[in-house]
Each structure stands twice: as C-alpha cells, then as structure tokens.
Coordinates of all heavy atoms in Angstrom, one line a residue:
G1 N -172.0 49.4 -20.2 CA -172.5 49.7 -21.5 C -172.2 48.6 -22.5 O -172.2 47.4 -22.2
T2 N -171.8 49.0 -23.7 CA -171.5 48.1 -24.8 C -170.3 47.2 -24.4 O -170.3 46.0 -24.8 CB -171.2 48.9 -26.1 OG1 -172.3 49.7 -26.3 CG2 -170.9 48.0 -27.2
N3 N -169.3 47.7 -23.8 CA -168.1 46.9 -23.4 C -168.5 45.8 -22.5 O -168.0 44.6 -22.6 CB -167.1 47.8 -22.7 CG -165.8 47.1 -22.5 OD1 -165.4 46.2 -23.3 ND2 -165.1 47.4 -21.5
I4 N -169.4 46.0 -21.5 CA -169.9 44.9 -20.6 C -170.6 43.9 -21.4 O -170.4 42.7 -21.2 CB -170.7 45.5 -19.5 CG1 -169.8 46.3 -18.5 CG2 -171.5 44.4 -18.7 CD1 -170.6 47.1 -17.4
F5 N -171.5 44.3 -22.3 CA -172.2 43.3 -23.1 C -171.2 42.5 -23.9 O -171.3 41.3 -23.9 CB -173.2 44.1 -24.1 CG -173.9 43.1 -24.9 CD1 -175.0 42.3 -24.4 CD2 -173.6 42.9 -26.3 CE1 -175.6 41.4 -25.2 CE2 -174.2 42.0 -27.1 CZ -175.3 41.3 -26.6
E6 N -170.3 43.1 -24.6 CA -169.4 42.4 -25.5 C -168.4 41.5 -24.7 O -168.2 40.4 -25.1 CB -168.5 43.4 -26.3 CG -169.3 44.1 -27.4 CD -169.7 43.2 -28.5 OE1 -169.0 42.2 -28.9 OE2 -170.8 43.4 -29.1
R7 N -168.0 42.0 -23.6 CA -167.0 41.2 -22.8 C -167.6 40.0 -22.0 O -167.0 39.0 -21.9 CB -166.3 42.1 -21.8 CG -165.2 41.5 -21.1 CD -164.3 42.5 -20.4 NE -163.2 41.8 -19.7 CZ -162.5 42.4 -18.8 NH1 -162.6 43.7 -18.6 NH2 -161.5 41.8 -18.2
Y8 N -168.8 40.3 -21.4 CA -169.3 39.3 -20.4 C -170.7 38.7 -20.9 O -170.8 37.5 -20.9 CB -169.6 40.0 -19.1 CG -168.4 40.5 -18.4 CD1 -168.2 41.9 -18.2 CD2 -167.4 39.6 -17.9 CE1 -167.1 42.4 -17.6 CE2 -166.2 40.1 -17.3 CZ -166.1 41.5 -17.1 OH -165.0 42.0 -16.5
L9 N -171.6 39.5 -21.3 CA -173.0 39.1 -21.5 C -173.2 38.4 -22.8 O -173.9 37.3 -22.9 CB -173.9 40.2 -21.3 CG -173.9 40.9 -20.0 CD1 -174.9 42.1 -19.9 CD2 -174.1 39.9 -18.9
K10 N -172.5 38.9 -23.9 CA -172.7 38.3 -25.2 C -172.2 36.8 -25.2 O -172.9 35.9 -25.7 CB -172.0 39.1 -26.3 CG -172.2 38.6 -27.7 CD -171.6 39.5 -28.7 CE -171.7 38.9 -30.1 NZ -171.1 39.8 -31.1
P11 N -170.9 36.6 -24.7 CA -170.5 35.2 -24.7 C -171.3 34.3 -23.9 O -171.6 33.1 -24.2 CB -169.0 35.3 -24.1 CG -168.7 36.7 -24.3 CD -169.9 37.5 -24.3
L12 N -171.8 34.8 -22.8 CA -172.7 34.0 -21.9 C -174.0 33.6 -22.6 O -174.4 32.5 -22.6 CB -173.0 34.9 -20.6 CG -173.6 34.2 -19.4 CD1 -172.8 33.1 -18.9 CD2 -173.7 35.3 -18.4
K13 N -174.6 34.6 -23.3 CA -175.9 34.4 -24.0 C -175.7 33.4 -25.2 O -176.5 32.5 -25.3 CB -176.4 35.7 -24.5 CG -177.8 35.6 -25.0 CD -178.5 36.9 -25.3 CE -179.9 36.7 -25.7 NZ -180.6 38.0 -25.7
L14 N -174.6 33.6 -25.9 CA -174.4 32.7 -27.0 C -174.1 31.3 -26.6 O -174.6 30.3 -27.2 CB -173.2 33.2 -27.9 CG -173.4 34.5 -28.7 CD1 -172.1 34.9 -29.3 CD2 -174.5 34.2 -29.8
A15 N -173.4 31.1 -25.5 CA -173.1 29.8 -25.0 C -174.4 29.1 -24.5 O -174.6 27.9 -24.7 CB -172.1 29.8 -23.9
A16 N -175.2 29.9 -23.8 CA -176.5 29.4 -23.3 C -177.4 28.9 -24.5 O -178.1 27.9 -24.4 CB -177.2 30.4 -22.5
L17 N -177.5 29.8 -25.5 CA -178.3 29.4 -26.7 C -177.8 28.1 -27.4 O -178.6 27.3 -27.8 CB -178.3 30.6 -27.7 CG -179.0 31.8 -27.3 CD1 -178.7 33.0 -28.3 CD2 -180.5 31.6 -27.2
K18 N -176.5 28.0 -27.5 CA -175.9 26.8 -28.1 C -176.2 25.5 -27.3 O -176.5 24.5 -27.8 CB -174.4 26.9 -28.3 CG -174.1 27.9 -29.4 CD -172.6 28.2 -29.5 CE -172.3 29.2 -30.6 NZ -170.9 29.5 -30.7
V19 N -176.1 25.6 -25.9 CA -176.5 24.5 -25.1 C -178.0 24.1 -25.3 O -178.3 23.0 -25.4 CB -176.2 24.8 -23.6 CG1 -176.8 23.7 -22.7 CG2 -174.7 24.9 -23.4
Q20 N -178.8 25.1 -25.3 CA -180.3 24.9 -25.4 C -180.6 24.2 -26.7 O -181.3 23.2 -26.8 CB -181.0 26.1 -25.2 CG -182.6 25.9 -25.2 CD -183.0 25.1 -24.0 OE1 -182.6 25.4 -22.9 NE2 -183.8 24.1 -24.3
A21 N -180.0 24.7 -27.8 CA -180.2 24.2 -29.1 C -179.7 22.7 -29.2 O -180.4 21.8 -29.8 CB -179.6 25.0 -30.2
S22 N -178.6 22.5 -28.7 CA -178.0 21.1 -28.7 C -178.8 20.2 -27.9 O -179.1 19.0 -28.3 CB -176.5 21.2 -28.2 OG -175.9 19.9 -28.3
D23 N -179.2 20.6 -26.7 CA -180.0 19.8 -25.8 C -181.4 19.5 -26.4 O -181.9 18.4 -26.3 CB -180.2 20.6 -24.5 CG -180.7 19.6 -23.4 OD1 -180.2 18.5 -23.2 OD2 -181.6 20.0 -22.6
D24 N -182.0 20.4 -27.2 CA -183.2 20.2 -27.8 C -183.1 19.2 -29.0 O -184.1 18.5 -29.2 CB -183.8 21.5 -28.4 CG -184.3 22.5 -27.3 OD1 -184.4 22.0 -26.1 OD2 -184.6 23.6 -27.6
A25 N -182.0 19.2 -29.7 CA -181.8 18.4 -30.9 C -181.2 17.0 -30.6 O -181.3 16.1 -31.4 CB -181.0 19.1 -31.9
R26 N -180.5 16.9 -29.5 CA -179.8 15.7 -29.2 C -180.2 15.1 -27.8 O -180.8 15.7 -27.0 CB -178.3 16.0 -29.1 CG -177.7 16.4 -30.4 CD -176.2 16.7 -30.2 NE -175.5 17.0 -31.5 CZ -175.4 18.2 -31.9 NH1 -175.9 19.2 -31.3 NH2 -174.8 18.4 -33.1
D27 N -179.7 13.9 -27.6 CA -179.7 13.3 -26.3 C -179.0 14.2 -25.3 O -177.9 14.7 -25.6 CB -179.1 11.9 -26.3 CG -179.2 11.2 -24.9 OD1 -178.4 11.6 -24.0 OD2 -180.0 10.3 -24.8
P28 N -179.5 14.6 -24.2 CA -178.9 15.5 -23.3 C -177.5 15.1 -22.8 O -176.7 15.9 -22.4 CB -179.8 15.7 -22.1 CG -181.0 15.0 -22.5 CD -180.8 14.2 -23.7
R29 N -177.2 13.8 -22.9 CA -175.9 13.3 -22.5 C -174.9 13.2 -23.6 O -173.8 12.6 -23.5 CB -176.1 11.9 -21.8 CG -176.9 11.9 -20.6 CD -175.9 11.9 -19.4 NE -176.6 11.9 -18.2 CZ -176.1 12.3 -17.1 NH1 -174.8 12.6 -17.0 NH2 -176.8 12.3 -16.0
S30 N -175.3 13.7 -24.8 CA -174.4 13.6 -26.0 C -173.1 14.4 -25.7 O -173.0 15.4 -24.9 CB -175.0 14.1 -27.2 OG -175.0 15.5 -27.2
L31 N -172.0 13.9 -26.4 CA -170.7 14.6 -26.2 C -170.8 16.0 -26.7 O -170.2 16.9 -26.1 CB -169.6 13.8 -26.9 CG -168.2 14.3 -26.8 CD1 -167.8 14.4 -25.3 CD2 -167.2 13.4 -27.6
A32 N -171.5 16.3 -27.8 CA -171.6 17.6 -28.4 C -172.3 18.6 -27.4 O -171.8 19.7 -27.2 CB -172.4 17.6 -29.7
T33 N -173.3 18.1 -26.7 CA -174.0 18.9 -25.7 C -173.1 19.1 -24.5 O -173.1 20.2 -24.0 CB -175.4 18.2 -25.3 OG1 -176.2 18.1 -26.5 CG2 -176.1 19.1 -24.3
K34 N -172.4 18.1 -24.1 CA -171.5 18.3 -23.0 C -170.4 19.3 -23.3 O -170.2 20.2 -22.4 CB -170.8 16.9 -22.7 CG -169.8 17.0 -21.5 CD -169.1 15.7 -21.3 CE -168.1 15.9 -20.2 NZ -167.4 14.6 -19.8
K35 N -169.9 19.3 -24.5 CA -168.9 20.3 -24.8 C -169.4 21.7 -24.8 O -168.8 22.7 -24.4 CB -168.2 20.0 -26.2 CG -167.3 18.8 -26.1 CD -166.7 18.5 -27.5 CE -165.9 17.3 -27.4 NZ -164.5 17.4 -27.8
K36 N -170.7 21.9 -25.3 CA -171.3 23.2 -25.3 C -171.6 23.6 -23.8 O -171.5 24.8 -23.5 CB -172.6 23.1 -26.1 CG -172.3 23.1 -27.6 CD -173.5 22.9 -28.5 CE -173.2 22.9 -30.0 NZ -172.3 22.0 -30.4
A37 N -172.0 22.6 -23.0 CA -172.3 22.9 -21.6 C -171.0 23.4 -20.9 O -171.0 24.3 -20.1 CB -172.9 21.7 -20.9
E38 N -169.9 22.7 -21.2 CA -168.6 23.1 -20.7 C -168.2 24.6 -21.1 O -167.7 25.4 -20.3 CB -167.5 22.2 -21.1 CG -167.5 20.9 -20.4 CD -166.4 19.9 -20.8 OE1 -166.5 19.3 -21.8 OE2 -165.4 19.9 -20.0
A39 N -168.6 24.9 -22.3 CA -168.3 26.3 -22.8 C -169.2 27.3 -22.0 O -168.8 28.4 -21.8 CB -168.6 26.4 -24.3
L40 N -170.4 26.9 -21.7 CA -171.3 27.7 -20.9 C -170.7 27.9 -19.5 O -170.7 29.0 -18.9 CB -172.7 27.2 -20.8 CG -173.7 27.9 -19.9 CD1 -173.8 29.4 -20.4 CD2 -175.1 27.3 -20.0
V41 N -170.1 26.9 -18.9 CA -169.5 27.0 -17.6 C -168.3 28.0 -17.7 O -168.1 28.8 -16.9 CB -169.0 25.7 -17.0 CG1 -168.1 25.8 -15.8 CG2 -170.2 24.8 -16.6
D42 N -167.5 27.9 -18.8 CA -166.4 28.8 -19.0 C -166.9 30.2 -19.1 O -166.3 31.2 -18.6 CB -165.7 28.4 -20.3 CG -164.9 27.1 -20.2 OD1 -164.6 26.7 -19.0 OD2 -164.5 26.5 -21.2
A43 N -168.0 30.4 -19.8 CA -168.6 31.8 -20.0 C -169.1 32.3 -18.6 O -168.9 33.5 -18.3 CB -169.7 31.8 -21.0
I44 N -169.7 31.5 -17.8 CA -170.1 31.9 -16.5 C -168.9 32.3 -15.6 O -168.9 33.3 -15.0 CB -170.9 30.8 -15.8 CG1 -172.3 30.6 -16.5 CG2 -171.2 31.1 -14.3 CD1 -173.1 29.4 -16.1
D45 N -167.8 31.5 -15.7 CA -166.6 31.8 -15.0 C -166.0 33.1 -15.5 O -165.6 33.9 -14.7 CB -165.6 30.7 -15.1 CG -165.9 29.5 -14.3 OD1 -166.8 29.6 -13.4 OD2 -165.4 28.4 -14.6
A46 N -166.0 33.3 -16.8 CA -165.5 34.5 -17.4 C -166.3 35.8 -17.0 O -165.7 36.9 -16.8 CB -165.4 34.4 -18.9
A47 N -167.6 35.6 -16.7 CA -168.4 36.7 -16.3 C -168.4 37.0 -14.8 O -169.0 37.9 -14.4 CB -169.9 36.4 -16.8
A48 N -167.8 36.1 -14.1 CA -167.7 36.2 -12.6 C -167.3 37.6 -12.1 O -167.9 38.2 -11.2 CB -166.9 35.1 -12.0
P49 N -166.3 38.2 -12.8 CA -165.9 39.6 -12.3 C -167.0 40.6 -12.4 O -167.1 41.4 -11.5 CB -164.7 40.0 -13.2 CG -164.2 38.7 -13.7 CD -165.3 37.7 -13.8
L50 N -167.9 40.4 -13.3 CA -169.0 41.3 -13.4 C -170.0 41.0 -12.3 O -170.4 42.0 -11.6 CB -169.7 41.2 -14.8 CG -171.0 42.0 -15.0 CD1 -170.7 43.5 -14.9 CD2 -171.7 41.6 -16.3
F51 N -170.4 39.8 -12.1 CA -171.4 39.4 -11.1 C -170.9 39.5 -9.7 O -171.7 39.5 -8.8 CB -172.0 38.1 -11.5 CG -172.7 38.1 -12.8 CD1 -172.2 37.5 -13.9 CD2 -173.9 38.8 -13.0 CE1 -172.8 37.6 -15.1 CE2 -174.5 38.9 -14.2 CZ -174.0 38.3 -15.3
E52 N -169.6 39.5 -9.5 CA -169.0 39.6 -8.2 C -168.5 41.0 -7.9 O -167.9 41.3 -6.9 CB -167.8 38.6 -8.1 CG -168.3 37.2 -8.1 CD -167.1 36.2 -8.2 OE1 -166.0 36.6 -8.2 OE2 -167.4 35.0 -8.2
S53 N -168.8 42.0 -8.8 CA -168.3 43.3 -8.6 C -169.2 44.0 -7.5 O -170.3 43.6 -7.2 CB -168.5 44.1 -9.9 OG -169.8 44.3 -10.2
D54 N -168.6 45.0 -6.9 CA -169.3 45.7 -5.8 C -170.6 46.3 -6.3 O -171.6 46.2 -5.6 CB -168.4 46.8 -5.2 CG -167.3 46.3 -4.4 OD1 -167.3 45.1 -4.0 OD2 -166.3 47.0 -4.1
A55 N -170.6 46.8 -7.5 CA -171.8 47.5 -8.0 C -172.9 46.4 -8.1 O -174.1 46.8 -7.8 CB -171.5 48.1 -9.4
M56 N -172.6 45.2 -8.6 CA -173.7 44.2 -8.8 C -174.1 43.7 -7.4 O -175.3 43.4 -7.2 CB -173.2 43.1 -9.7 CG -173.0 43.5 -11.1 SD -174.6 43.6 -11.9 CE -174.3 42.7 -13.3
L57 N -173.1 43.4 -6.5 CA -173.4 42.9 -5.2 C -174.2 43.8 -4.4 O -175.0 43.4 -3.5 CB -172.1 42.4 -4.5 CG -171.4 41.2 -5.1 CD1 -170.1 41.0 -4.4 CD2 -172.3 40.0 -5.1
M58 N -174.1 45.1 -4.5 CA -174.8 46.1 -3.7 C -176.2 46.3 -4.3 O -177.0 46.9 -3.6 CB -174.0 47.4 -3.7 CG -172.7 47.3 -2.9 SD -171.8 48.8 -2.6 CE -172.2 49.9 -3.9
D59 N -176.5 45.9 -5.5 CA -177.8 46.1 -6.1 C -178.6 44.8 -6.0 O -178.3 43.9 -6.7 CB -177.6 46.6 -7.6 CG -178.9 47.1 -8.2 OD1 -180.0 46.7 -7.7 OD2 -178.8 47.9 -9.1
S60 N -179.6 44.8 -5.2 CA -180.4 43.6 -4.9 C -181.1 43.1 -6.2 O -181.6 42.0 -6.2 CB -181.4 43.8 -3.8 OG -182.3 44.9 -4.1
R61 N -181.3 44.0 -7.2 CA -181.9 43.6 -8.4 C -181.2 42.5 -9.1 O -181.8 41.7 -9.9 CB -182.1 44.7 -9.4 CG -183.1 45.8 -8.9 CD -183.1 47.0 -9.8 NE -181.7 47.6 -9.9 CZ -181.4 48.5 -10.8 NH1 -182.3 48.9 -11.7 NH2 -180.2 48.9 -10.9
F62 N -179.9 42.3 -8.8 CA -179.1 41.4 -9.5 C -178.8 40.1 -8.7 O -178.1 39.2 -9.1 CB -177.7 42.0 -9.9 CG -177.9 43.1 -10.9 CD1 -177.6 44.4 -10.5 CD2 -178.3 42.9 -12.2 CE1 -177.8 45.5 -11.4 CE2 -178.5 43.9 -13.1 CZ -178.2 45.2 -12.7
D63 N -179.4 40.0 -7.5 CA -179.2 38.9 -6.6 C -179.6 37.6 -7.3 O -178.9 36.6 -7.2 CB -179.9 39.1 -5.3 CG -179.3 40.1 -4.3 OD1 -178.2 40.6 -4.7 OD2 -179.9 40.4 -3.3
R64 N -180.8 37.6 -7.8 CA -181.3 36.4 -8.4 C -180.5 36.0 -9.7 O -180.3 34.8 -9.9 CB -182.8 36.7 -8.8 CG -183.5 35.5 -9.3 CD -183.8 34.5 -8.1 NE -183.9 33.2 -8.6 CZ -184.1 32.1 -7.9 NH1 -184.2 32.3 -6.6 NH2 -184.3 31.0 -8.4
L65 N -180.1 36.9 -10.4 CA -179.2 36.6 -11.6 C -178.0 35.9 -11.2 O -177.6 34.9 -11.8 CB -178.9 37.9 -12.4 CG -178.1 37.7 -13.6 CD1 -178.8 36.8 -14.6 CD2 -177.8 39.1 -14.2
G66 N -177.3 36.4 -10.3 CA -176.0 35.8 -9.8 C -176.3 34.4 -9.3 O -175.6 33.4 -9.6
L67 N -177.3 34.2 -8.5 CA -177.7 32.9 -7.9 C -178.1 32.0 -9.0 O -177.6 30.8 -9.0 CB -178.9 33.1 -6.9 CG -179.4 31.8 -6.3 CD1 -178.3 31.1 -5.6 CD2 -180.6 32.1 -5.5
D68 N -178.8 32.4 -10.0 CA -179.2 31.6 -11.1 C -178.0 31.1 -11.9 O -178.0 29.9 -12.3 CB -180.2 32.3 -12.0 CG -181.6 32.4 -11.4 OD1 -181.9 31.7 -10.4 OD2 -182.4 33.2 -12.0
L69 N -177.1 32.0 -12.2 CA -175.9 31.6 -13.0 C -175.1 30.6 -12.2 O -174.6 29.6 -12.8 CB -175.1 32.8 -13.3 CG -175.7 33.7 -14.4 CD1 -174.8 35.0 -14.6 CD2 -175.7 32.9 -15.7
L70 N -174.9 30.8 -10.9 CA -174.1 29.8 -10.1 C -174.9 28.5 -10.0 O -174.2 27.4 -10.0 CB -173.9 30.4 -8.7 CG -172.9 31.5 -8.7 CD1 -172.8 32.1 -7.3 CD2 -171.5 31.1 -9.2
T71 N -176.2 28.5 -10.0 CA -177.0 27.3 -9.9 C -176.8 26.5 -11.2 O -176.7 25.3 -11.3 CB -178.4 27.6 -9.6 OG1 -178.5 28.2 -8.3 CG2 -179.3 26.3 -9.6
I72 N -176.9 27.2 -12.4 CA -176.8 26.6 -13.7 C -175.4 26.0 -13.8 O -175.2 24.8 -14.2 CB -177.0 27.6 -14.8 CG1 -178.4 28.0 -14.9 CG2 -176.5 27.1 -16.1 CD1 -178.7 29.3 -15.7
K73 N -174.4 26.7 -13.3 CA -173.0 26.1 -13.4 C -172.9 24.8 -12.6 O -172.4 23.8 -13.0 CB -172.0 27.2 -12.8 CG -170.6 26.7 -12.7 CD -169.7 27.8 -12.1 CE -168.3 27.2 -11.9 NZ -167.4 28.2 -11.3
Q74 N -173.5 24.9 -11.3 CA -173.4 23.7 -10.5 C -174.2 22.5 -11.1 O -173.8 21.4 -11.0 CB -173.9 24.0 -9.1 CG -173.0 24.9 -8.3 CD -171.6 24.3 -8.2 OE1 -171.4 23.1 -7.9 NE2 -170.6 25.1 -8.4
D75 N -175.3 22.8 -11.7 CA -176.1 21.8 -12.4 C -175.4 21.1 -13.5 O -175.4 19.9 -13.7 CB -177.4 22.4 -12.9 CG -178.5 22.7 -11.8 OD1 -178.3 22.2 -10.7 OD2 -179.4 23.4 -12.1
I76 N -174.7 21.9 -14.3 CA -173.9 21.4 -15.4 C -172.7 20.5 -14.9 O -172.5 19.4 -15.4 CB -173.3 22.5 -16.3 CG1 -174.5 23.2 -17.1 CG2 -172.3 22.0 -17.3 CD1 -174.1 24.5 -17.8
I77 N -172.0 21.0 -13.8 CA -170.9 20.3 -13.2 C -171.4 18.9 -12.7 O -170.8 17.9 -13.0 CB -170.3 21.1 -12.1 CG1 -169.5 22.2 -12.7 CG2 -169.4 20.2 -11.2 CD1 -169.0 23.3 -11.7
E78 N -172.6 18.9 -12.1 CA -173.1 17.6 -11.6 C -173.6 16.7 -12.7 O -173.3 15.5 -12.7 CB -174.3 17.9 -10.6 CG -173.8 18.5 -9.3 CD -172.9 17.6 -8.5 OE1 -173.2 16.4 -8.4 OE2 -171.9 18.1 -8.0
K79 N -174.3 17.3 -13.7 CA -174.9 16.5 -14.8 C -173.9 15.8 -15.6 O -174.0 14.6 -16.0 CB -175.8 17.4 -15.7 CG -176.4 16.7 -16.8 CD -177.3 17.6 -17.6 CE -178.1 16.9 -18.7 NZ -179.0 17.8 -19.4
Y80 N -172.8 16.5 -15.9 CA -171.7 16.0 -16.7 C -170.5 15.5 -15.9 O -169.5 15.1 -16.5 CB -171.3 17.0 -17.8 CG -172.5 17.2 -18.7 CD1 -173.2 18.4 -18.7 CD2 -172.8 16.3 -19.7 CE1 -174.2 18.7 -19.6 CE2 -173.8 16.5 -20.6 CZ -174.6 17.7 -20.5 OH -175.6 18.0 -21.4
D81 N -170.6 15.5 -14.6 CA -169.5 15.0 -13.7 C -168.2 15.7 -14.1 O -167.2 15.0 -14.3 CB -169.4 13.5 -13.8 CG -168.6 12.9 -12.6 OD1 -168.6 13.5 -11.6 OD2 -168.1 11.8 -12.8
L82 N -168.2 17.0 -14.2 CA -167.0 17.7 -14.5 C -166.1 17.9 -13.3 O -166.7 18.1 -12.2 CB -167.4 19.1 -15.1 CG -168.3 19.1 -16.3 CD1 -168.6 20.5 -16.8 CD2 -167.7 18.3 -17.5
N83 N -164.9 18.0 -13.5 CA -163.9 18.3 -12.4 C -163.7 19.8 -12.3 O -162.7 20.3 -12.6 CB -162.6 17.6 -12.7 CG -162.5 16.3 -12.0 OD1 -163.2 15.9 -11.1 ND2 -161.6 15.5 -12.5
R84 N -164.7 20.5 -11.8 CA -164.6 21.9 -11.6 C -165.4 22.3 -10.4 O -166.2 21.6 -9.8 CB -165.3 22.6 -12.8 CG -164.7 22.3 -14.1 CD -165.0 23.4 -15.0 NE -164.6 23.1 -16.4 CZ -164.8 23.9 -17.3 NH1 -165.3 25.1 -17.1 NH2 -164.4 23.6 -18.5
E85 N -165.1 23.5 -10.0 CA -165.9 24.1 -8.9 C -166.1 25.6 -9.1 O -166.0 26.3 -9.8 CB -165.2 23.9 -7.5 CG -165.7 22.7 -6.9 CD -167.2 22.5 -6.7 OE1 -167.9 23.4 -6.2 OE2 -167.6 21.4 -7.0

C-alpha cells in the first residue's frame, strides 16, 4: 500500500524523473546527469527488497518490471563507468 509507495516506489520514480529531465536539458555525459543517474542506481538498489520479495517473484506480472530495473541499472553502470554491481 502506501508504505510500499513511500519507501520504494516514490524515491525510484523521483530519481528517474530527475535523470530524464537532466538528460533532456544537458549533455548526457554531464557531471550533473551522472550524479542523478547514480542516485537512480541507489534507488533501484534500495527497492531491491521489494522486487526480490517472494510475493513479487511469484507473480509473473512483475517479471518485466524487475528485469527492466536491473537493465536500467546495468546501462547506467556501463554508461558512466561506475564501480558497482
């Protein structure tokens, strides 16, 4: 419910919006965009308990969402050559 939104989804959504806005307004390799992208990776990591929970893993409707988030994370790590996994 609301707790899941506040704890996991809201920070994820806000971080994604900030990356998109920064990417639209600046050179994608700008330091400001990189910092926002790192914040998105942090938000994805923070939401991992939700997407790795038994309830989510057992519900095939969420398979694509988990895969997409992990792909976005890996894309950011590669694009900005971050030392993360």
Side-chain angles (χ1 to χ4, degrees):
T2 303
N3 190 34
I4 289 174
F5 178 76
E6 288 292 326
R7 185 170 181 188
Y8 299 112
L9 302 178
K10 183 178 178 182
L12 195 57
K13 188 169 186 172
L14 288 173
L17 290 170
K18 289 176 182 178
V19 170
Q20 186 63 50
S22 186
D23 195 46
D24 288 349
R26 296 180 174 88
D27 182 285
R29 294 259 180 202
S30 78
L31 185 57
T33 303
K34 179 181 179 180
K35 288 182 185 233
K36 288 174 177 58
E38 286 182 277
L40 178 54
V41 169
D42 291 341
I44 291 170
D45 287 343
L50 175 65
F51 298 106
E52 294 172 357
S53 69
D54 288 345
M56 289 285 228
L57 291 173
M58 291 185 338
D59 192 332
S60 63
R61 295 176 298 170
F62 298 111
D63 288 352
R64 188 70 204 179
L65 179 60
L67 178 60
D68 286 347
L69 287 172
L70 291 175
T71 300
I72 289 166
K73 177 182 172 181
Q74 290 303 315
D75 286 348
I76 290 170
I77 289 170
E78 290 297 318
K79 181 176 184 176
Y80 294 104
D81 196 27
L82 303 178
N83 266 342
R84 298 203 190 182
E85 271 308 311

